[in-house]
Amino acid sequence: MIEKSVWEFLFSHAQTTSNATEAGGILLGHRAGHHIHVTSATGPLPNDRRARLSFDRLDAGHQQIAYDAWTDSGGTIDYVGDWHTHPQQMPNPSPKDYSEWEKLTELLPTSHLFAIVGSSGNNFWLGCGTALPKILTLTKI
């Protein structure tokens, strides 16, 4: 489940103009078995690197926000995935996206959600072990 406020936040960063740079951040929430509930997300921060066709999450603020959420929630809210934008209507992952996701899913034992925000919709993939199936497409209303 993804909270409506998170959907709205992700779509607010869609690259809808020809000079818009990519944006991204982390997804925060909790897990119950195979269920992931996304309750919030970070957005681009000052030390992140943004370009028309790339986003590198470099700002330590993302980690601090995740740590604070985990601490404030008594350990129930945690990092559950990543998101970023692509300058496409319905985005597809780049080879770099797949490579980064595969590294993360091999490193961490829990499943993770990966979202790419396009100008007309979002696509989501679930990373678990070595599998990265596409699980959801949501179009902007």
Side-chain angles (χ1 to χ4, degrees):
M1 176 178 176
I2 301 174
E3 294 292 329
K4 181 181 179 188
S5 61
V6 176
W7 288 120
E8 292 169 350
F9 179 75
L10 296 181
F11 272 130
S12 76
H13 289 284
Q15 292 175 264
T16 57
T17 62
S18 62
N19 62 345
T21 58
E22 285 194 14
I26 62 173
L27 301 170
L28 298 169
H30 55 86
R31 295 179 179 83
H34 295 294
H35 175 79
I36 296 176
H37 182 172
V38 180
T39 57
S40 65
T42 65
L45 297 174
N47 292 323
D48 292 333
R49 187 177 312 134
R50 299 177 69 182
R52 177 70 179 156
L53 299 175
S54 66
F55 174 81
D56 292 307
R57 192 180 71 239
L58 303 173
D59 198 302
H62 298 281
Q63 178 63 36
Q64 186 62 52
I65 292 167
Y67 178 77
D68 291 347
W70 183 79
T71 302
D72 294 346
S73 69
T76 61
I77 300 294
D78 196 8
Y79 165 83
V80 295
D82 290 340
W83 75 272
H84 67 282
T85 63
H86 275 189
Q88 301 167 302
Q89 288 186 345
M90 292 304 297
N92 290 304
S94 68
K96 179 183 175 185
D97 293 332
Y98 275 121
S99 175
E100 293 299 316
W101 296 348
E102 287 172 350
K103 287 179 199 173
L104 186 62
T105 58
E106 290 173 4
L107 181 66
L108 300 172
T110 56
S111 56
H112 291 82
L113 192 61
F114 302 108
I116 302 179
V117 177
S119 61
S120 296
N122 298 350
N123 284 322
F124 291 84
W125 290 262
L126 181 66
C128 188
T130 58
L132 284 164
K134 182 177 172 183
I135 58 168
L136 177 65
T137 296
L138 176 77
T139 55
K140 191 174 185 179
I141 299 173

